[in-house]
Amino acid sequence: MGVEVEKAEIDSGHARLHELGYKQELNRNLSVLSNFAFSFSVVSVLTGLNTLMGTGLNFGGPISYVYGWLIAGAFTMFVGLSMAEICSSYPTSGGLYYWSAKLAGPSWAPFASWITGWFNIVGQWAVTASVDFSLAQLVQVIILLSTGGLNGGGYQGSKYVVIALHGGILLLHAILNSLPISWLSFFGQLAAAWNVLGVFLLMILIPMVATERASAKFVFTNFNTDNGDGINNNLYIFVLGLLMSQYTLTGYDASAHMTEETKNADKNGPKGIVSAIGISVLAGWAYILGITFAVTDIPHLLNKNNDSGGYAIAQIFYDAFKSRYGSGTGGIVCLGIIAVAVFFCGMSSLTSNSRMAYAFSRDGAMPYSSFWHKVNKQEVPLNAVWMSAFIAFCMALTSLGSLVAFQAMTSIATIGLYIAYALPILFRVTLARKSFTPGPFNLGNYGLVVGWVAIFWVALISVLFSLPVAYPITDQTLNYTPVAVGGLLILVVSSWIFSARHWFKGPITNIGNSSEEA
């Protein structure tokens, strides 16, 4: 009976994909748990919250991230619910750009698909670049602390060492993503379990080990206005502190990009999106509370001359164990737990990248599309995997010029991705308001309201995260987010006007006549 049910789900998935104009080319054997695991691993609470802990402490401290996390989480759920509803109707690897094409209508479909697809894929490449670069920086900090710390003669790697580590990590991720999907499914589930267990282990262990703990009043009411960046307005400070939360809560579109490899995708894909957000929000808030009880001296944690070189979460862990046992070795081991979580995050991010590149090239949107669209005997889009890894490496090379330039590049990871998330939702509540046909997962009469709230939130954070983060404004303190995102917009629109509008017709079928629009 179980075999019959499983077969029915696979056949149902094949049938729905066929209706949308595509033949099955990828191996459809992912369960709802595996689909969820990929998104949950990309969101990765242990990645975003730890790598940007310094930002949260600097801009507002406990109030900014304890309450900011809940605010960002609530509005992110609105975005996720709207995406899940659309995913249920159109479960393809193309995800967002396919949705935009179907929802914008025949006349606007090619342009809507083009702009959404490029924002999505460039945003995904930026996510992989930023995650793996963050891991390289974390590894460098672990080496520094393991060799004595900054004040004990520890080894502090140069920017060239960090970029070499970044390249090595990407190489490992590309190799793992070259394995059959059954292996990736296993690693994805392992990553999800590691994130959940890691969160609860660290949130309990670190405050227990620390000899000095913050009071509940500090955790729930302290607002750090001493940021050293010339910003004194409390609301402004709180807004900048939101970046830690919103950066973490990205990447859940991975569930959509994995739908062509998921059983019963019109139900399980949406479940993957919503559950990844919901569980991440709950686990993340618990983690924030637990770790904040070990925060007693914010200026010390952010000081560039401390043992970790100003890497806040590393200093928290190191100080906790050193104060208790006279050695920070336990803290370094705990940093290793985070490093493994970040590694899995980068691995799953590259998986999502490659499926998006595979689908986008299937529809002829990328240069040399026929090459990137190929799959090997194990039904893995191998060329797309290695291309995505290479581009993520090239993006990180900007760090050799300056970290400001790299931060501008990776700002696309948050704003660029959320613009891609919002576009199909916008078409859903406007052009397709009456014509949209929901799938098994739908919001009923609340679909339009949820969609408009999601659009409002994306518009708001796009403005807020483009504000200056330090005063006076110089070439080293300017927030280059609007420059990076605006530059991408100009490139995408220009390429459409001067070239793509003459040949790109939006998503096309690969059943029968390959030039027929889907």
Side-chain angles (χ1 to χ4, degrees):
M1 182 65 179
V3 174
E4 292 176 359
V5 171
E6 183 176 328
K7 188 176 188 301
E9 289 180 349
I10 295 174
D11 291 343
S12 173
H14 283 194
R16 183 58 184 145
L17 190 64
H18 192 278
E19 289 174 14
L20 297 176
Y22 296 110
K23 64 183 178 181
Q24 185 70 37
E25 293 183 302
L26 303 177
N27 189 358
R28 189 187 293 276
N29 67 358
L30 294 183
S31 64
V32 63
L33 177 61
S34 295
N35 183 283
F36 151 79
F38 278 107
S39 273
F40 186 69
S41 299
V42 176
V43 174
S44 185
V45 167
L46 290 178
T47 297
L49 290 183
N50 287 307
T51 56
L52 287 184
M53 179 62 76
T55 300
L57 288 172
N58 194 47
F59 294 111
I63 277 189
S64 277
Y65 53 70
V66 168
Y67 300 107
W69 177 261
L70 294 177
I71 292 171
F75 280 105
T76 298
M77 182 57 80
F78 278 92
V79 178
L81 284 169
S82 291
M83 290 171 59
E85 182 181 49
I86 301 172
C87 178
S88 183
S89 187
Y90 309 117
T92 76
S93 292
L96 308 170
Y97 84 88
Y98 184 92
W99 304 348
S100 286
K102 298 296 287 187
L103 297 168
S107 58
W108 284 100
F111 178 67
S113 178
W114 179 262
I115 193 169
T116 304
W118 278 108
F119 264 94
N120 191 195
I121 196 167
V122 174
Q124 285 190 345
W125 286 330
V127 167
T128 301
S130 64
V131 169
D132 281 10
F133 190 80
S134 296
L135 178 55
Q137 290 178 313
L138 178 57
V139 170
Q140 185 272 321
V141 171
I142 291 174
I143 294 171
L144 172 63
L145 292 174
S146 300
T147 53
L150 189 63
N151 297 309
Y155 173 75
Q156 188 170 31
S158 67
K159 60 185 179 181
Y160 299 104
V161 171
V162 174
I163 201 69
L165 288 170
H166 172 72
I169 293 164
L170 274 170
L171 178 62
L172 287 175
H173 285 157
I175 292 172
L176 288 174
N177 273 278
S178 300
L179 299 173
I181 190 62
S182 56
W183 280 89
L184 283 178
S185 174
F186 167 76
F187 286 125
Q189 293 182 47
L190 177 61
W194 187 276
N195 269 276
V196 171
L197 294 176
V199 162
F200 287 102
L201 173 65
L202 295 176
M203 63 175 273
I204 295 171
L205 179 62
I206 299 303
M208 283 181 59
V209 169
T211 55
E212 293 185 29
R213 300 184 189 87
S215 65
K217 181 180 178 181
F218 176 88
V219 171
F220 290 103
T221 65
N222 181 269
F223 189 69
N224 178 38
T225 59
D226 185 18
N227 51 72
D229 292 307
I231 300 174
N232 301 312
N233 182 279
N234 287 356
L235 179 60
Y236 199 163
I237 292 171
F238 181 80
V239 163
L240 294 178
L242 279 176
L243 178 61
M244 179 185 80
S245 301
Q246 200 60 70
Y247 171 80
T248 303
L249 295 170
T250 55
Y252 44 86
D253 58 315
S255 286
H257 298 302
M258 301 304 294
T259 49
E260 289 186 36
E261 293 160 270
T262 301
K263 304 170 188 175
N264 217 11
D266 53 355
K267 297 177 183 177
N268 291 338
K271 288 178 183 177
I273 294 172
V274 175
S275 59
I277 296 171
I279 294 175
S280 293
V281 169
L282 294 176
W285 199 60
Y287 183 76
I288 286 171
L289 291 179
I291 296 301
T292 306
F293 275 101
V295 174
T296 56
D297 187 348
I298 293 177
H300 165 65
L301 297 176
L302 298 176
N303 190 336
K304 298 294 184 183
N305 295 317
N306 63 26
D307 279 317
S308 67
Y311 200 103
I313 196 66
Q315 196 64 43
I316 291 172
F317 289 5
Y318 191 73
D319 286 347
F321 278 87
K322 193 168 185 179
S323 65
R324 173 74 66 179
Y325 302 109
S327 169
T329 301
I332 297 172
V333 173
C334 289
L335 288 176
I337 294 174
I338 293 174
V340 173
V342 181
F343 182 85
F344 280 138
C345 176
M347 180 200 74
S348 297
S349 180
L350 185 59
T351 306
S352 180
N353 288 183
S354 62
R355 271 50 179 185
M356 171 61 192
Y358 155 82
F360 211 29
S361 59
R362 177 174 61 186
D363 293 319
M366 300 182 67
Y368 308 105
S369 285
S370 60
F371 183 73
W372 308 124
H373 170 237
K374 289 181 179 178
V375 295
N376 64 10
K377 293 180 180 179
Q378 285 74 43
E379 298 177 318
V380 174
L382 202 61
N383 297 341
V385 167
W386 287 89
M387 172 191 66
S388 296
F390 178 73
I391 291 176
F393 177 73
C394 291
M395 281 185 161
L397 290 177
T398 55
S399 67
L400 297 178
S402 73
L403 285 177
V404 173
F406 175 69
Q407 289 162 358
M409 181 70 71
T410 57
S411 64
I412 300 174
T414 302
I415 302 302
L417 266 186
Y418 267 93
I419 289 174
Y421 293 173
L423 286 172
I425 299 173
L426 178 63
F427 299 137
R428 154 74 177 95
V429 299
T430 54
L431 298 176
R433 178 175 181 174
K434 296 182 180 179
S435 61
F436 176 70
T437 302
F441 181 97
N442 65 83
L443 304 176
N445 296 330
Y446 297 101
L448 294 178
V449 175
V450 172
W452 278 116
V453 172
I455 292 165
F456 160 77
W457 181 247
V458 174
L460 181 63
I461 62 173
S462 297
V463 173
L464 296 181
F465 294 159
S466 297
L467 297 173
V469 295
Y471 290 89
I473 300 173
T474 67
D475 60 341
Q476 290 299 307
T477 61
L478 177 67
N479 185 351
Y480 286 91
T481 296
V483 177
V485 177
L488 175 60
L489 179 63
I490 291 171
L491 284 173
V492 172
V493 173
S494 298
S495 64
W496 172 260
I497 293 173
F498 294 109
S499 177
R501 67 188 178 92
H502 299 296
W503 50 267
F504 183 68
K505 304 302 179 184
I508 56 176
T509 66
N510 61 7
I511 297 174
N513 182 2
S514 62
S515 63
E516 181 186 353
E517 292 184 29

